[in-house]
Amino acid sequence: MTTFTKLAAGETPLIEVDARKKLSKIDPMTYGGFTEHMGRCIYGGIYDPGNPLSDSKGFRKDVISALKDLDIPVIRYPGGNFVATYHWQEGIGPREDRPKRPELAWLGVESNQFGTDEFMQWLDVLSEGKEQRVEPYICLNFGTGTLDEALAWVEYCNGMRDTYWANLRRKNGHPEPYNVKYWALGNEVWGDWQVLQMTKEDYAKKAIQWAKALRLLDPSLCLILCGQDGQSSWDHYVLHECIGWVDMHSIHIYTASEDHMKNVTAPLSAERSIEITASLIDLARIEKKIAPTKPPVKICFDEWNVWDPERAPGDKGAEESYTLSDALAVAVWLNVFVRQSKYIGMANIAQSVNVISPLMTTKDGIIKQSIWWPLQLFSQFMRGWTIACHVSGGAYDGPTQPAWLQGTLGEGAPWLDVSATVDDKGYVSLAVVNTNEIDDFQVELKGVGKNVTVYKVSGEGVTSGNMDGKENVGLKEESWDGTGKFTFPKHSLTVLRWKAVYSG
Ligand code: AHR
């Protein structure tokens, strides 16, 4: 949580950090990814057989090596909208027997050459050298899929007994179960673009019946309910009905605007959504008399990012070309997750490669887009606990996107959007986004140590980007002795990091 006071023009801005005031634990799952059978995410992104840059399994080595730097804890798969007509059994077994199918979400053809086993193998490679593996998170087909198929998928992945689907996994070369813990009960089932869109009443009934059966098969599953944007009657209703059956509630929001200030303030609408969803969860618990000892349902923000589907349409691969403005918007998104860590059980940037992604592939290599840098800095440093923080400074109070956001901002959106953390080793990290396109801010910092390492992400202007193959938006590392005022340059993200020294 960060509090804010608006200062009169000319007064010195101030940021106070108190590393002793740990507010809530940041779930490592906050820095999750997402790979969907969409555009060039799987085919040509993570899986590119025949390319000299790929290994013997067809996995792009340059992609794996880059993604390792993001230290991703969990990856959602195989969609997204794609999953609504996906039959997972068609993507296992000998490749030559796998059928090609018309794909109805993005209107392509699914070759089924990459399926469940390949996804698990890819995660194994991505997990090499890590203390904890990258967890798989599978979304079930609530469109044309059946409960039988869903049960079979869980049995194929997790079965340890002498049963048909577990044996088929063994026959396909995988004797050990994959132990997939995270399963989503459908994706955006409320949307009119879905194959088999549902009403909230029908969805809630079906979600409960599926949850019951899935838990009978494997009581250790973490089941994720399909919410909307966290602020709708769908969210209200399905949470009320299903609260006793699920572990997390999924919400999706994409933000974007060509107007820089609208673009960088739009993620604050997601902050409001998180607060609203958290209240809906509390309300459902009260109404359904859930035992107070039962752990609260957490929010699974399993699709978030900057995306304008008109600018980068889904059926054309959604290849957004990101700017510095977008990188700052992503930094504000990540500040939101840190500030609201009390409620976040998982978050997944949509998506991890090529499709609305920080990482793009060409036949000859990779490009790290502008939004790569905030993601890497947050994943590397903004872990542990959210700590108390107060900002005094100026604020933007102009029009926002969505328009309703402006009416909720009170004193406006601080020019300096801030979050702070302390990790298990006592390192404090302070992330400051200066959203102002014109002004640098000289700021008095209280509670900051000596020997501060400074990481800065910026570029020449808010429209700078990296898709020309040059690193026009990049990361610079400096040091600061912690004395005097600190200048946060215009249109930049700065992460300050120091070892906490507590006195008294
Ligand atoms: O991430 C791209 C798409 O956006 C997903 O398939 C869908 O769930 C959302 O609408």
Side-chain angles (χ1 to χ4, degrees):
M1 167 138 134
T2 303
T3 49
F4 174 62
T5 318
K6 193 168 174 182
L7 287 185
E11 290 182 286
T12 305
L14 168 76
I15 299 177
E16 289 178 82
V17 188
D18 192 341
R20 288 165 305 183
K21 294 194 178 136
K22 290 178 173 174
L23 299 177
S24 47
K25 193 107 183 92
I26 300 163
D27 200 305
M29 292 288 177
T30 304
Y31 301 112
F34 173 29
T35 52
E36 173 167 7
H37 287 246
M38 174 179 178
R40 296 192 306 124
C41 179
I42 302 288
Y43 303 107
I46 68 179
Y47 180 67
D48 197 3
N51 189 310
L53 295 169
S54 299
D55 66 13
S56 57
K57 296 189 182 87
F59 302 149
R60 280 284 290 255
K61 288 185 284 189
D62 51 350
V63 169
I64 286 168
S65 149
L67 291 182
K68 272 178 185 287
D69 289 345
L70 293 184
D71 197 6
I72 301 171
V74 58
I75 298 199
R76 182 175 182 244
Y77 175 81
N81 296 342
F82 167 79
V83 82
T85 58
Y86 180 57
H87 298 291
W88 69 272
Q89 295 98 326
E90 299 186 337
I92 57 168
R95 282 215 169 87
E96 58 280 12
D97 298 340
R98 300 186 193 180
K100 287 188 183 147
R101 297 284 187 201
E103 192 285 303
L104 302 187
W106 309 114
L107 306 178
V109 171
E110 175 52 48
S111 69
N112 280 309
Q113 292 301 293
F114 186 100
T116 305
D117 294 314
E118 287 78 22
F119 177 61
M120 297 299 169
Q121 282 165 23
W122 183 71
L123 290 187
D124 281 348
V125 181
L126 195 57
S127 304
E128 276 166 15
K130 276 172 63 89
E131 270 173 36
Q132 278 174 329
R133 73 165 184 169
V134 183
E135 291 290 328
Y137 165 22
I138 291 183
C139 184
L140 293 168
N141 177 354
F142 260 55
T144 60
T146 64
L147 176 54
D148 267 342
E149 266 178 285
L151 289 166
W153 207 353
V154 172
E155 185 192 324
Y156 186 85
C157 290
N158 295 355
M160 302 211 291
R161 295 177 290 178
D162 177 14
T163 58
Y164 178 79
W165 291 105
N167 287 337
L168 190 57
R169 183 197 67 237
R170 293 181 184 109
K171 188 174 159 210
N172 286 340
H174 311 285
E176 297 305 321
Y178 294 128
N179 296 323
V180 181
K181 179 174 174 194
Y182 301 96
W183 295 84
L185 301 169
N187 171 74
E188 297 189 357
V189 183
W190 39 268
D192 63 5
W193 52 88
Q194 284 310 319
V195 172
L196 283 178
Q197 179 191 9
M198 298 179 87
T199 63
K200 53 186 187 300
E201 292 81 7
D202 288 345
Y203 173 74
K205 269 188 211 151
K206 182 167 166 176
I208 291 171
Q209 295 310 316
W210 281 43
K212 186 169 38 175
L214 291 161
R215 287 201 193 288
L216 285 172
L217 180 64
D218 185 343
S220 73
L221 303 184
C222 175
L223 295 180
I224 295 147
L225 189 65
C226 173
Q228 196 170 350
D229 55 6
Q231 35 169 291
S232 67
S233 57
W234 174 284
D235 294 284
H236 185 187
Y237 184 85
V238 301
L239 270 168
H240 173 82
E241 293 298 310
C242 307
I243 190 86
W245 292 94
V246 295
D247 305 285
M248 289 203 257
H249 180 73
S250 142
I251 58 177
H252 294 175
I253 293 180
Y254 294 96
T255 59
S257 174
E258 293 302 314
D259 175 294
H260 169 66
M261 279 317 296
K262 287 184 181 171
N263 194 34
V264 292
T265 52
L268 300 176
S269 67
E271 185 152 28
R272 201 73 188 116
S273 273
I274 292 169
E275 290 165 342
I276 295 168
T277 311
S279 301
L280 292 176
I281 290 169
D282 280 350
L283 184 63
R285 281 176 71 96
I286 294 164
E287 287 170 343
K288 288 287 184 180
K289 300 190 171 42
I290 300 292
T293 47
K294 191 169 182 224
V297 163
K298 290 283 181 95
I299 296 170
C300 179
F301 218 126
D302 54 12
E303 286 188 32
W304 69 269
N305 201 350
V306 174
W307 182 26
D308 177 351
E310 283 184 14
R311 194 165 64 187
D315 57 1
K316 296 200 170 51
E319 301 206 1
E320 279 276 20
S321 179
Y322 288 115
T323 61
L324 172 59
S325 177
D326 298 327
L328 301 182
V330 162
V332 174
W333 262 106
L334 292 161
N335 270 344
V336 166
F337 292 136
V338 172
R339 290 195 290 258
Q340 299 296 330
S341 63
K342 182 175 174 192
Y343 305 118
I344 301 292
M346 190 193 295
N348 308 70
I349 187 166
Q351 299 186 3
S352 293
V353 186
N354 284 336
V355 174
I356 39 175
S357 177
L359 186 66
M360 306 299 286
T361 63
T362 65
K363 283 236 162 310
D364 315 314
I366 53 169
I367 293 174
K368 289 178 179 171
Q369 293 226 58
S370 60
I371 65 168
W372 173 274
W373 302 110
L375 209 59
Q376 182 180 305
L377 280 179
F378 272 73
S379 178
Q380 217 174 335
F381 299 128
M382 304 301 283
R383 291 186 182 254
W385 295 79
T386 301
I387 57 173
C389 208
H390 183 77
V391 180
S392 311
Y396 166 79
D397 49 19
T400 58
Q401 188 165 300
W404 62 256
L405 174 66
Q406 193 180 4
T408 67
L409 287 174
E411 302 250 54
W415 291 118
L416 301 178
D417 188 89
V418 176
S419 75
T421 61
V422 63
D423 68 16
D424 291 340
K425 296 193 175 110
Y427 279 95
V428 184
S429 300
L430 172 69
V432 180
V433 187
N434 180 356
T435 58
N436 197 301
E437 218 183 320
I438 298 160
D439 295 330
D440 301 341
F441 291 109
Q442 268 210 338
V443 178
E444 190 187 332
L445 292 175
K446 276 196 188 158
V448 176
K450 309 287 169 206
N451 302 322
V452 181
T453 313
V454 180
Y455 303 91
K456 275 188 191 158
V457 176
S458 195
E460 206 174 298
V462 292
T463 57
S464 304
N466 296 349
M467 282 308 287
D468 61 1
K470 297 190 195 123
E471 211 172 272
N472 303 309
V473 177
L475 173 66
K476 285 195 187 117
E477 187 178 329
E478 300 161 10
S479 53
W480 179 52
D481 65 7
T483 56
K485 294 191 180 107
F486 187 90
T487 302
F488 293 100
K490 64 183 176 186
H491 55 61
S492 67
L493 160 67
T494 305
V495 175
L496 301 176
R497 187 168 162 83
W498 67 91
K499 181 94 196 232
V501 185
Y502 302 122
S503 54

